Amino acid sequence: YTAPPVITSVTYSPDGKWIAVGGYHEVVIHSATKSGVVARLVGVSERIEKVAFSPKGNRIAMAGGNPGRMGELQIWDFKKRKLQLSVTQGHDTLYGASWSKDGKLVAFGCPDNTVRAIDTSSGKQVMFNGAHNGWVLDTIFSVKSDHVISVSRDRSMKLVHVKTQRFIDNITSITPGALKGGLHAIDRHPGKDELLCGGADGSPKIYRMIRQKARRIGDDFNLIRRFPKMTGRLFSVTFSRDGKMIAAGSSYNGRGEVWVYNYADAKVISKTAMSEGGIFSVAFSKDGKQLAAAGFDGYVHIIDTKKGKTIRKFLPVPLKVKKVAAK
């Protein structure tokens, strides 16, 4: 590397010991407590769009690909640092990899407007649905993993039943103008089917998964809570492990923001401004006291969740500076 790569995904391992960073051609593993590369998982894909540890932390799923040529889902054995599975799909990069509760399935979104899932032992496709009308940018499984929820540039969050592959419902309102732009990111409460989403309008929102009232034109019945609006577009949203906090990262006009909110009452806990570029991924540490945030500037920023102050930052890849010969 001669310049820091844009970071599209950062996440902690379930045991809190490791940080996985994805961006260009590889997933780089760091210790959560100190800087220094522990492992580099290099595959075929030029772009890494989403990195996700399995529930037990023994495997890593990566969604990405080569733009305009192919999409690829990789499954890595984390302990052996070995590629277990590589599945190619479509003709463009894949997005939003997420694991089922038992670690047997991985769901992901595609730019051909479909959401899919594969069996992680065989690579066989077990779910395919084309209900969206735009690129599918993120996915998450329900608590029981019997449904996959997806968000898209088409301004909707959709619910699909895994076993039958059937489209069940539009969780968000389908009324024109109800959502002021596409949705980019989704996460689920650790213990219940309440869904956190974020996108173009800059406001994180919580929705219930199952509709409790008949749909009416203009309704948004599934909306539980709307959080204060951030500046710019939200590219990442996440719950803390205990479900008591949420965090979001945004980008606007070359600057980024990271906000932490209280889940129960939507009050802002802390705000962190990033002057060197947008934030594309955020992730809570295991104890929730710290937050990893990364994006355009190529650094991983470790933030105190209560104070909003950057504790430290590190470059996840080795950097070589080109020397310019004097004339």
Side-chain angles (χ1 to χ4, degrees):
Y1 293 88
T2 57
V6 173
I7 298 172
T8 53
S9 185
V10 61
T11 187
Y12 282 88
S13 60
D15 61 10
K17 294 181 179 180
W18 312 104
I19 296 177
V21 185
Y24 180 70
H25 252 308
E26 62 178 337
V27 176
V28 187
I29 309 298
H30 284 257
S31 166
T33 57
K34 57 184 179 181
S35 299
V37 176
V38 176
R40 301 173 72 175
L41 311 181
V42 185
V44 173
S45 294
E46 294 175 2
R47 291 282 297 168
I48 310 297
E49 296 292 349
K50 185 69 176 287
V51 181
F53 277 95
S54 64
K56 293 182 178 179
N58 60 329
R59 291 186 291 171
I60 291 178
M62 182 284 297
N66 298 341
R69 286 170 286 170
M70 73 159 195
E72 183 191 24
L73 184 77
Q74 299 173 8
I75 305 293
W76 290 81
D77 183 312
F78 177 58
K79 292 183 178 179
K80 295 180 179 179
R81 317 293 199 244
K82 183 179 180 180
L83 182 64
Q84 290 185 325
L85 192 67
S86 172
V87 177
T88 57
Q89 297 277 347
H91 304 286
D92 212 332
T93 49
L94 307 180
Y95 298 88
S98 64
W99 290 84
S100 61
K101 185 178 181 179
D102 59 9
K104 293 182 178 180
L105 305 180
V106 167
F108 54 92
C110 304
D112 64 1
N113 307 347
T114 64
V115 57
R116 311 184 189 199
I118 65 162
D119 182 299
T120 59
S121 60
S122 66
K124 179 183 178 181
Q125 183 171 284
V126 296
M127 193 196 80
F128 177 99
N129 189 276
H132 278 291
N133 193 34
W135 291 18
V136 181
L137 299 178
D138 207 0
T139 70
I140 197 74
F141 279 87
S142 61
V143 170
K144 294 181 180 179
S145 294
D146 52 352
H147 292 83
V148 168
I149 306 95
S150 54
V151 292
S152 166
R153 298 201 306 186
D154 68 3
R155 307 184 183 191
S156 73
M157 182 195 302
K158 295 185 185 291
L159 182 66
V160 174
H161 187 246
V162 175
K163 187 175 181 179
T164 62
Q165 307 182 58
R166 290 190 303 115
F167 166 68
I168 302 300
D169 192 18
N170 285 293
I171 296 174
T172 50
S173 174
I174 59 174
T175 302
L179 289 173
K180 309 297 182 182
L183 294 176
H184 198 287
I186 187 173
D187 197 15
R188 195 203 72 238
H189 188 281
K192 50 188 175 182
D193 286 320
E194 293 186 1
L195 305 160
L196 169 65
C197 68
D201 67 1
S203 177
K205 302 176 186 68
I206 299 285
Y207 282 85
R208 62 178 57 87
M209 188 180 83
I210 300 298
R211 177 174 295 277
Q212 298 175 348
K213 296 182 179 180
R215 183 183 298 281
R216 295 181 181 178
I217 298 300
D219 77 14
D220 204 5
F221 284 142
N222 288 337
L223 179 64
I224 297 173
R225 190 173 301 113
R226 187 189 305 269
F227 294 81
K229 185 178 180 180
M230 297 171 63
T231 302
R233 179 187 297 267
L234 301 185
F235 282 91
S236 182
V237 293
T238 186
F239 272 100
S240 60
R241 301 285 180 90
D242 60 8
K244 294 181 179 180
M245 296 182 291
I246 72 160
S250 72
S251 176
Y252 178 73
N253 199 25
R255 295 176 179 269
E257 291 182 347
V258 178
W259 288 21
V260 179
Y261 303 84
N262 190 50
Y263 165 73
D265 58 12
K267 290 183 178 179
V268 177
I269 295 173
S270 66
K271 299 180 182 180
T272 307
M274 301 291 184
S275 61
E276 298 178 357
I279 294 298
F280 302 141
S281 186
V282 293
F284 280 102
S285 62
K286 185 179 181 181
D287 61 10
K289 294 180 179 180
Q290 296 180 1
L291 189 75
F296 185 80
D297 70 355
Y299 284 83
V300 177
H301 302 257
I302 305 299
I303 299 168
D304 185 304
T305 55
K306 298 294 185 181
K307 299 178 181 179
K309 293 182 178 180
T310 299
I311 301 169
R312 65 185 178 98
K313 70 176 185 178
F314 63 89
L315 189 66
V317 298
L319 191 65
K320 293 183 178 180
V321 180
K322 288 183 178 180
K323 295 182 179 180
V324 180
K327 294 183 179 179

